[in-house]
Every structure is written in C-alpha cells, then in structure tokens.
Amino acid sequence: MILLRDLSFSRNGEALVTGASLQLHPGWKVGLTGANGCGKSSFLGLLRGELHADRGDLERPPNWVLAHVAQDTPALPDAALDFVLDGDIELRQIERDLATAEAHHDDHHAGEQIGLLHGRLGEIDGYAAPARAAALMHGLGFSDEDFQRPVAEFSGGWRVRLNLARALMCRSDLLLLDEPTNHLDLDAIIWLEEWLKSYPGTLILISHDRDFLDVVTSHILAIEAGKMQLFTGNYSACERARAERLANDLALAAKQKREAAHLQSYIDRFRAKASKARQAQSRIKMLAKMGDIVAAHIDTPFSFRFPEPSGFSDPLLLVDHARVGYDATAPIFDKLTFTLRPDSRIGLLGRNGAGKSTLMKLLAGELQPLAGVREEGRNLKLGYFAQHQLEQLRPAESPLWHMIKLEPRTREQDLRNYLGGFDFRGSMVDAPCGRFSGGEKTRLALALMIRTAPNLLLMDEPTNHLDLEMREALTIALQETEAGMVLVSHDRHLLRATCDELWLVADGKVTPFDGDLDDYAEWLAQDRAAEKRGGKSSAASRNAGGNSAQEKPVAAMSKEAALAARRPLLKESEKLEQQLAEWQGELKLLETRLADQSLYASPETRLLEELTLRQSLLTQNIETAESRWLEIHELLESTKEN
C-alpha cells in the first residue's frame, strides 16, 4: 500500500500540504482533486521520487512498477508503434536478450537462455504485445497508417496521446495520470474510461472532468487549505459530503438556500418551455442535480454572470448552401444550411478531425465560405472563445490593463471588482499576464469576452485548463444567460447542463442528432465497430453514395485512375508533414524563450509582442495544416478501398 505519515511538502518555498496521514490500498482508483496550484502535481512528483518531502514519510512498495505520462516527447525518428511498445520495459529487455542469445545459438548455455526467455515472453503475453499496442493507439484515435509514422511527424497534441499510450502499455502496479483528458476528444475519453475501469493496478488520477472522475474513481483524495482528506466513493459522493460540511456554517447554509431557490426558479421556467427532444429532457434531469452541486461549491472564489444582451435579431446568423474549407477543390463542408436563433443552445458532437473547429471559425467570421452565404443578423453581437485567443492577450500587460483597453470610460474600481469575480485579486490584477498559467489566461480571456455582453456565444473547448470550481461557475453562469450559444466541449457535464439540442458533425455534413450524450456514446461505439469491420466508419458508409464531391468519382475509379488520384495527395501530405515538423520545431523553441522570466522584466516590450505574435501565427498555421492533413488521409483511405 501507499502510506503517508505526517507528510508535509512545498514547491519553490511555498508550503502546499502539512501533516497528511493516510493509506491508499492496492487496486484503489483515486481521484486527486483541489484548486489549481494546491499541490496535486507536486504530490505525483513525490510519488515519482522527483520531489522530496519537507517532513514526514511517503512510502510505497519498492518492487512496484510505476507508470506515468512523460511531459515531453523528443522529435524521434522511431515509428509510433515502436515508441508505444517501449512502454513495456521488461518486454523490450527480453527482446534485446533474445537477440544477443540467438546470435550465440551454438553455445549450449545460450540455447538454455533462449528457452527461458521464450517462457517468460509467454508469461507476460509478449507475443500479443504489438496487438495490445495497436489497440491502445486505435482507442486514442490513431489510424493504422499512423503506426509506422515517425514520432517527429506528430503535432504536440498527438504526441501527448503517444505518451499516454506508452504509459498504458507499461504493465504497471501504480499508474499516475495528470489531466489525461486535456488533449483528447470525447471518443478517446469514453474509450479511456473503459480501459481504466479494467486496469488491475492502483491508479492516482488528477482530473477536472467530473463525469470522468465519477466513472473511474473508487476514492477521492481532496487537497484543500493545505490538508489532504480521503473520501470513499466517487467525486459526486465526495461533493455531497462537502455540501453537508459547508451547511454547518450558518452563513454558508443561508447562501446555499438562496442559491437553491434561485436555481429552482430557473429550472421551473426552463421545464415549462423545454422541447421533447432527448437532449432537452436530459438537460432537465441534469439541472435537477445542480442544486446539490451548487451547495458543494457555495464557497467558490468565482462569482460572475453573463450581462444581458442589449438586443437580438431573429435569426442571429444564417448559413445557406455554404461551401466551407481551406481549399476550394477539397472543401470540408458543402451545401451547409442552417439558422441560429436567439434561443439556440447547441452542442456540436463529432469525431476528431470532423471539422467542429472549422465550423466554429465559419460562425465566428474568422473563415469566410468558399461559396454560398453566411449572413449576420442586424443586431448580432458575437462572443467567440477558442484556445488561440489566449495568444492574443498582451503578455507584458496586466488583467486590469486589458479591461481598461476594453472599457476606457469605466471606473477602475468597477473593473477591479469585475476581475475579482474571476478570482483576479490583489497583486494578480496588476501582474503581467505572460507569466500566468493556462488556466489563468483562459479565465482572463473568458472575462474579457463575457464583459462585451454578446447575444451569440461561440465557445470552442472553453474548459481546457480550468479547474472544477471555475467549470462549475461557468456552467451556472451559462444557465442564466439569454444569449444564443454554440458549444464544442469534451466536458459532458457542461454539454448536458447547458445545451438543448445536439448537432452531429460527420462526413462533411452537420445534422441534428436525435439523442443525448449516452446515445452519442453508443453511436461512437457503432462507428468504431464499423471501422474495424470494413475500415470505414458507419457514418461514411451510410453516405457512400452521398453528396461529397470527392466520393462519387472515387467509387467509379479504375485501379490506375485511383493510383493517379492518390499521387498528388501523397505528395501534398509529404509536403505538409515536412512543413509541420519545421513549424513544430520553431514553436517549441519559441515556447522555451517565452518561458524565460527575464523577458517580462525588460521595459522593451516590442520583442515580447513579436514573439507572441509569431507564436499565435505558428499555432494557427499548424491547426490549419493538421486539418488539411486529416482531410487528405481520409481521401487516401477512400481511394485505397476501391
């Protein structure tokens, strides 16, 4: 077991936890929770032996094999599948020993050694290891074509997935995972949940995804106010216990009652107008549980609401027969037609690379249609949040500077109060935001967007980097706004609680999804099964005779014509891979440079601004190139089968 005895630890001289004493037993699946910066990652560092305790003991069985996800992946020439197989250290050692022994097979001792090694290989199921590695990679979204691609060719997000697959490949006794869902889509998250549920070892998991914690964990280890407390049960059970504890404080109990009554009045209003659609009914059930959640987070450091929009147009936005993409000859969407109205609250679903972010860029006006119409309502006021907007923050300037730039005539104290609602208090209000963590930058970007009082919210993965407290505050704030909304998120709790309808992005089309998130999980499972059977997703096969400009000619192609069609695509793919490798290398160097604190101390801000601008441009270039690369490989897949 893992034993903590009067354990105290700190980071950079700042005390994080004092006097923790508890036991974690083999086979437990422990969710490690607490606000950002409370010491969760430091605790994993202690378990890995990379940090040392200030006082007390942290003991774990010395013979346990430990697995964790590496933070960096060097630009290796190794094939992705081999890189994942390297996670099983004993397997690789046996393979090396076998190669040495077989080189000396005439030696009697070597023959004996070969027999023993093959015996051990059988015991650890080593012959099936490549199939196990392939299953891990498929589960995390890689295709068969990716297996032999060099690690160096993959982008940052995909290298994180490779590192995760490598950690899962290790036959470990203790698995440490620090926010493993951050770079995953919903498809991969649902697969990972199932894998972790059947993992036989001890798991310690940091996650801010409440659904993920609820499905996977048997215990919660909460860090709060410098103390560690162990709860039996999943996150929701721990939350109920916390709500009861807070109810012992009279002032907080009164606040719990006020918030519960406020939320109930909203739920009653919503129930009266909700449609019979499965997702709208699913949302009613989710909202009924929100009272318990609010009670557990009543002492949250966040307090903000969306200001009411000054006016609406109906429709807010109209898209008609739009062709959308980055290349007129190979659009991602064609004949796209829909209307967004003031009461639209839509969640976008779809597998990685299906085009959800491209669709959001079209809605935001960052991408104009190649043909057809994108028409804004007369009073449309967009509020767009996407990850690349974090790079548009001025790194040398403070949160207050950004607010004054947005509202130069507003009283400074009012702006400080507003920022306080997003937990920017004290010296943080005046600190340069280049030093901020990803979560702090996300909070600031959201604060700036919310302040503009939009009537149509476009939110692409807004919860990345946000802790559970801020996620809950955002979920509650989104309940009450009258603004229309389109949301892309892998946070199922946020989708369930805020969306009335779901749209599926698949095979170059956007269609209403007749179901809720549980139905979507089933759709994904069927899609995966169809892929395994025929190498083509069910969605793709349903549309085999469909409207995609590429699909019709491919179906009728001769082998020679198919080969001729593949050549320019392969050439373009090769060129893109080279370009991506260069951009990723430059981005890595840039990020190292931007991490240098002396850059922010200099009064000369032009260099800092140039570096940040280049970082933003590179990120956008990489995103566009990756979308095109995925598109090419889907076309190559379809030509391969004919």
Side-chain angles (χ1 to χ4, degrees):
M1 75 172 93
I2 296 169
L3 182 67
L4 279 65
R5 200 186 290 110
D6 194 30
L7 180 73
S8 300
F9 59 92
S10 56
R11 191 153 217 159
N12 301 329
E14 184 192 346
L16 295 169
V17 167
T18 52
S21 297
L22 51 97
Q23 297 173 0
L24 305 176
H25 292 270
W28 280 9
K29 295 188 170 65
V30 182
L32 189 56
T33 64
N36 281 340
C38 72
K40 299 186 298 295
S41 296
S42 297
F43 181 63
L44 296 194
L46 281 171
L47 285 164
R48 290 194 302 268
E50 292 166 11
L51 282 179
H52 297 290
D54 298 338
R55 199 179 73 238
D57 301 303
L58 173 57
E59 293 173 12
R60 63 176 175 85
N63 59 334
W64 271 14
V65 175
L66 186 149
H68 72 282
V69 181
Q71 290 299 302
D72 294 310
T73 319
L76 299 168
D78 312 37
L81 186 69
D82 285 331
F83 177 79
V84 172
L85 278 163
D86 287 344
D88 193 331
I89 293 158
E90 187 187 359
L91 169 78
R92 289 312 212 190
Q93 189 58 53
I94 292 170
E95 288 175 347
R96 283 192 293 273
D97 292 346
L98 264 173
T100 306
E102 281 165 356
H104 304 93
H105 59 88
D106 296 336
D107 179 354
H108 167 72
H109 177 68
E112 203 176 295
Q113 177 77 348
I114 288 168
L116 287 169
L117 288 167
H118 275 293
R120 181 59 186 153
L121 208 54
E123 283 169 21
I124 67 168
D125 202 16
Y127 301 109
R132 259 198 336 272
L136 288 172
M137 290 181 72
H138 277 147
L140 291 170
F142 293 93
S143 66
D144 289 353
E145 282 71 29
D146 291 328
F147 291 177
Q148 297 311 316
R149 281 181 67 208
V151 171
E153 284 183 12
F154 290 93
S155 69
W158 285 96
R159 285 196 208 174
V160 172
R161 291 188 190 215
L162 282 176
N163 282 344
L164 176 56
R166 184 173 167 144
L168 302 184
M169 189 66 201
C170 175
R171 288 169 299 101
S172 56
D173 302 290
L174 175 62
L175 177 59
L176 307 177
L177 295 179
D178 192 344
E179 296 199 50
T181 62
N182 251 8
H183 292 271
L184 301 183
D185 58 339
L186 205 40
D187 190 4
I189 288 172
I190 290 167
W191 173 86
L192 181 60
E193 280 178 352
E194 291 307 309
W195 193 95
L196 290 174
K197 279 199 290 191
S198 59
Y199 170 67
T202 305
L203 170 71
I204 300 181
L205 161 75
I206 297 172
S207 178
H208 295 296
D209 181 332
R210 61 180 303 124
D211 279 41
F212 190 72
L213 283 169
D214 270 354
V215 167
V216 172
T217 58
S218 62
H219 294 76
I220 296 292
L221 183 55
I223 303 180
E224 195 177 346
K227 301 290 174 199
M228 282 182 132
Q229 193 172 0
L230 186 64
F231 296 88
T232 300
N234 63 11
Y235 181 70
S236 289
C238 161
E239 206 171 41
R240 282 192 294 274
R242 190 173 195 277
E244 284 167 21
R245 197 170 73 248
L246 294 177
N248 292 328
D249 179 314
L250 290 177
L252 290 178
K255 197 176 175 192
Q256 281 178 338
K257 285 196 178 76
R258 276 199 310 278
E259 285 295 323
H262 182 68
L263 189 65
Q264 191 56 50
S265 70
Y266 173 78
I267 294 166
D268 293 341
R269 285 200 312 278
F270 174 67
R271 188 181 279 116
K273 64 172 187 172
S275 73
K276 293 285 177 250
R278 189 92 60 93
Q279 171 55 26
Q281 294 304 306
S282 188
R283 187 178 174 206
I284 287 171
K285 284 181 200 156
M286 184 69 250
L287 289 173
K289 297 175 188 169
M290 288 296 288
D292 293 339
I293 293 169
V294 168
H297 297 271
I298 207 73
D299 58 343
T300 176
F302 307 109
S303 57
F304 60 89
R305 295 279 187 267
F306 282 77
E308 282 318 309
S310 54
F312 287 98
S313 308
D314 191 3
L316 289 169
L317 190 65
L318 181 139
V319 173
D320 190 31
H321 281 75
R323 180 178 296 157
V324 186
Y326 305 95
D327 180 347
T329 60
I332 295 170
F333 301 106
D334 202 9
K335 296 180 181 164
L336 202 57
T337 299
F338 56 82
T339 301
L340 294 178
R341 314 190 65 151
D343 59 352
S344 297
R345 297 180 72 93
I346 296 153
L348 295 184
L349 304 176
R351 296 186 69 171
N352 212 42
K356 297 187 296 293
S357 289
T358 302
L359 180 58
M360 291 296 266
K361 283 177 186 166
L362 170 79
L363 299 179
E366 285 198 356
L367 187 65
Q368 291 304 318
L370 300 163
V373 174
R374 174 195 176 275
E375 192 178 300
E376 297 188 355
R378 196 163 55 86
N379 295 326
L380 177 71
K381 192 166 188 188
L382 281 174
Y384 178 43
F385 176 88
Q387 290 302 307
H388 67 258
Q389 278 161 315
L390 305 193
E391 278 106 49
Q392 289 167 11
L393 296 170
R394 294 279 287 270
E397 306 297 351
S398 67
L400 183 62
W401 182 92
H402 284 86
M403 287 301 302
I404 291 169
K405 185 95 176 143
L406 188 67
E407 295 184 18
R409 291 193 176 87
T410 304
R411 213 165 59 100
E412 189 181 300
Q413 190 55 50
D414 292 343
L415 298 178
R416 285 180 181 273
N417 294 345
Y418 175 73
L419 286 166
F422 292 84
D423 203 23
F424 292 110
R425 297 185 169 92
S427 60
M428 271 196 87
V429 182
D430 301 298
C433 67
R435 294 181 196 168
F436 287 1
S437 67
E440 287 159 352
K441 284 179 183 170
T442 300
R443 275 193 273 132
L444 178 55
L446 280 168
L448 293 167
M449 184 269 279
I450 289 168
R451 186 74 178 185
T452 62
N455 56 20
L456 179 59
L457 296 165
L458 305 172
M459 306 181 85
D460 192 349
E461 296 291 2
T463 61
N464 274 6
H465 310 297
L466 295 182
D467 64 16
L468 274 157
E469 288 291 345
M470 179 59 190
R471 288 183 186 209
E472 289 309 340
L474 181 62
T475 305
I476 293 293
L478 280 169
Q479 299 304 337
E480 301 185 354
T481 176
E482 292 296 318
M485 183 181 84
V486 182
L487 173 67
V488 174
S489 180
H490 60 242
D491 187 321
R492 285 158 293 176
H493 171 64
L494 183 67
L495 284 166
R496 272 196 195 97
T498 59
C499 298
D500 297 343
E501 53 184 314
L502 301 172
W503 289 1
L504 181 63
V505 181
D507 309 314
K509 291 200 288 216
V510 181
T511 50
F513 184 73
D514 181 24
D516 58 16
L517 287 175
D518 296 329
D519 299 313
Y520 178 61
E522 267 177 52
W523 181 89
L524 284 171
Q526 286 166 10
D527 210 40
R528 233 182 228 290
E531 238 173 355
K532 273 186 190 163
R533 283 196 306 273
K536 202 172 191 184
S537 73
S538 61
S541 58
R542 277 200 304 276
N543 294 329
N547 61 5
S548 166
Q550 285 77 34
E551 281 181 42
K552 282 181 186 170
V554 165
M557 276 181 189
S558 66
K559 253 184 188 172
E560 293 75 20
L563 278 169
R566 284 170 70 84
R567 269 186 219 110
L569 290 171
L570 286 164
K571 214 168 183 180
E572 190 185 348
S573 168
E574 212 172 291
K575 211 171 171 185
L576 275 171
E577 283 165 7
Q578 251 176 335
Q579 184 64 78
L580 275 166
E582 281 173 33
W583 281 338
Q584 281 150 6
E586 188 186 343
L587 187 62
K588 193 151 183 129
L589 289 170
L590 254 181
E591 283 168 350
T592 307
R593 211 163 164 202
L594 284 164
D596 182 357
Q597 293 297 324
S598 64
L599 196 60
Y600 302 95
S602 165
E604 179 51 67
T605 60
R606 187 176 294 170
L607 173 64
L608 182 58
E609 280 162 17
E610 280 171 11
L611 292 175
T612 311
L613 197 65
R614 182 64 184 154
Q615 182 193 34
S616 177
L617 185 66
L618 282 170
T619 307
Q620 283 176 22
N621 287 349
I622 288 168
E623 200 179 298
T624 305
E626 281 176 346
S627 290
R628 178 62 186 148
W629 187 90
L630 277 163
E631 218 176 284
I632 288 167
H633 279 259
E634 278 166 19
L635 288 171
L636 287 169
E637 273 290 288
S638 63
T639 55
K640 189 176 74 176
E641 283 169 34
N642 288 280

